[in-house]
């Protein structure tokens, strides 16, 4: 019998090598990007579930900011349950699935292709049904993931999406050249103080702005599925629109605070929650510059790539909290590796 958290811990540790390998294969991704560039879309749609949905949101920011194209997240049930057949001519559909085995994403991708979309599957299983259904495919190359909680497949999906969008705009991936050593630094950061401080917390809010909003969403999911915390993610902008009323001295707030525009926009939010007595854990490349009870620095990188590094210490916190609370994150109750919805 394996030790609690053994698989999750091992796969967290694999990530620098996985990310480095992905950068080394950027030429394969550039070929897919070239096919997209030769058929310029009017706009982009993204289809995903679970952790992949957070990666898709990250891609939405990349597409809108770096490519100047409108992008949106699809609702697969409009096709799978309601039978909608939208006109998708000159539209790019990127379907993101670590397993490539979600029936609703498969059906949506098949339908979108019939309706005229240029379809791209971003998956860890290129031989999966989804990989076969899409016209183009990007293999994130993370290797077999045994742990139920996605770690290396999530960070690799983020990087694959960045490399794809960067190549579409004619970039050379130079910003990602040092991602492997930077990831090692991010995993070496001490998270034990955070684990000790928040092991008895029952409720936590995660928040971020811009690209880092995806990290806030993924953080809430990881804390909920491994430690069974009541975790809720908010954009920093939305947090001040009403939910801040529920913030008090009993509330823990995990704030993703990067050095770019998103992190700068979050500072007023953190001042507001700190004034309400919340216990703030700041994590990111500008963690040392905001009011917080605990600060976890992350190596600085261009803002578009920050989510790839930010999530790494979050995963270690989730693992540490689960073990400290007496749970085995490799066997979360009620969860399977592939969720089959339609």
């Amino acid at each position: 019998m394996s030790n609690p958290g053994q698989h999750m811990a091992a796969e967290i540790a694999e990530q620098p090598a996985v990310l480095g390998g992905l950068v080394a294969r950027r030429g394969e991704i550039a070929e897919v990007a070239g096919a997209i560039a030769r058929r310029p879309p009017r706009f982009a749609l993204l289809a995903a579930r679970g952790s992949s949905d957070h990666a898709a949101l990250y891609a939405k920011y990349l597409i809108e900011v770096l490519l100047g194209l409108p992008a949106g997240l699809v609702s697969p049930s409009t096709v799978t349950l309601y039978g909608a057949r939208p006109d998708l001519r000159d539209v790019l559909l990127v379907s993101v699935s670590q397993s490539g085995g979600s029936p609703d994403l498969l059906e949506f991708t098949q339908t979108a292709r019939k309706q005229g979309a240029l379809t791209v599957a971003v998956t860890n299983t290129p031989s999966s049904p989804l990989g076969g259904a899409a016209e183009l495919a990007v293999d994130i190359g993370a290797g077999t993931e045994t742990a139920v909680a996605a770690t290396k497949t999530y960070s690799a999906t983020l990087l694959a999406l960045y490399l794809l969008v960067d190549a579409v705009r004619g970039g050379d991936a130079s910003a990602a050249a040092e991602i492997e050593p930077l990831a090692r630094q991010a995993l070496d950061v001490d998270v034990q103080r955070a684990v000790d401080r928040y092991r008895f917390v029952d409720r936590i809010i995660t928040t971020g702005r811009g690209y880092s909003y995806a990290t806030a969403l993924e953080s809430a999911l990881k804390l909920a599925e491994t430690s069974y915390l009541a975790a809720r993610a908010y954009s920093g902008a939305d947090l001040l629109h009403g939910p801040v009323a529920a913030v008090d001295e009993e509330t823990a707030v995990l704030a993703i605070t990067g050095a770019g525009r998103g992190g700068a926009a979050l500072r007023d939010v953190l001042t507001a929650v700190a004034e309400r007595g919340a216990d703030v854990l700041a994590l990111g490349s500008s963690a040392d510059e905001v009011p917080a009870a605990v600060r976890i620095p992350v190596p600085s990188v261009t803002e578009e790539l920050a989510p790839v590094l930010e999530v790494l210490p979050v995963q270690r916190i989730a693992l540490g909290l689960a073990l400290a609370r007496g749970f085995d994150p490799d066997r979360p109750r009620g969860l399977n590796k592939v969720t089959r919805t339609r």
Side-chain angles (χ1 to χ4, degrees):
M1 180 178 293
S2 61
N3 296 324
Q6 174 182 321
H7 297 303
M8 185 177 178
E11 289 168 4
I12 288 173
E14 289 176 29
Q15 289 174 104
V18 168
L19 297 174
L22 193 52
V23 172
R25 293 192 297 107
R26 64 188 180 278
E28 300 172 17
I29 298 176
E31 290 181 8
V32 176
I36 295 171
R38 288 190 293 273
R39 292 170 56 182
R42 292 182 291 123
F43 60 88
L45 293 174
L46 299 125
R49 294 290 192 193
S51 285
S52 294
D53 202 33
H54 306 153
L57 177 66
Y58 166 69
K60 180 179 186 295
Y61 276 86
L62 290 174
I63 292 167
E64 292 187 343
V65 176
L66 302 185
L67 300 183
L69 291 175
L73 304 179
V74 306
S75 300
S77 61
T78 59
V79 166
T80 61
L81 298 184
Y82 295 97
R85 295 295 182 266
D87 180 358
L88 297 179
R89 288 171 294 178
D90 300 321
V91 172
L92 171 66
L93 173 73
V94 181
S95 299
V96 187
S97 172
Q98 291 146 7
S99 69
S102 299
D104 52 352
L105 298 185
L106 173 62
E107 184 176 344
F108 192 98
T109 301
Q110 291 169 329
T111 301
R113 189 170 180 179
K114 291 176 183 176
Q115 295 302 110
L118 173 59
T119 53
V120 181
V122 178
T123 175
N124 195 42
T125 316
S127 60
S128 64
L130 182 65
E135 185 173 343
L136 303 167
V138 172
D139 178 8
I140 69 170
T144 302
E145 191 169 57
T146 304
V148 174
T151 54
K152 64 179 181 176
T153 54
Y154 179 75
S155 59
T157 299
L158 294 182
L159 182 57
L161 289 165
Y162 171 80
L163 293 172
L164 179 65
V165 173
D166 180 63
V168 170
R169 68 168 175 168
D172 61 2
S174 57
E178 298 301 315
I179 201 70
E180 182 172 353
L182 289 173
R184 294 191 190 284
Q185 292 178 39
L187 285 177
D188 284 342
V189 172
D190 185 9
V191 301
Q192 190 58 47
R193 186 179 172 208
V195 171
D196 293 341
R197 187 176 183 92
Y198 300 107
R199 63 180 298 184
F200 298 113
V201 167
D202 292 320
R203 181 167 59 101
I204 188 166
I205 288 173
T206 66
T207 187
R209 290 291 307 271
Y211 295 103
S212 295
Y213 180 37
T215 310
L217 289 163
E218 177 65 10
S219 299
L221 175 61
K222 282 293 164 285
L223 292 169
E225 69 182 353
T226 60
S227 300
Y228 314 139
L229 283 168
R232 181 71 183 268
Y234 292 100
S235 159
D238 291 334
L239 184 56
L240 292 183
H241 281 197
V244 72
V247 173
D248 56 24
E249 294 84 354
E250 302 299 317
T251 308
V253 175
L254 169 56
I256 311 301
T257 58
R261 297 182 185 182
L266 193 65
R267 292 181 187 179
D268 287 345
V269 179
L270 297 185
T271 298
V273 298
E275 289 173 351
R276 298 188 63 85
D279 195 298
V280 177
L281 164 58
L283 185 151
S285 57
S286 65
D288 291 336
E289 301 171 18
V290 299
V294 179
R295 298 179 178 87
I296 296 180
V298 174
S300 183
V301 71
T302 182
E303 185 175 4
E304 302 95 87
L305 273 170
V308 179
L309 300 181
E310 292 164 348
V311 76
L312 304 182
V314 170
Q315 295 167 352
R316 291 189 57 227
I317 291 170
L319 171 63
L321 282 174
L323 297 176
R325 291 160 68 90
F327 306 126
D328 183 356
D330 286 339
R331 295 178 175 81
R333 57 197 185 205
L335 293 182
N336 295 305
K337 190 62 183 168
V338 179
T339 301
R340 300 190 175 277
T341 56
R342 183 173 184 276

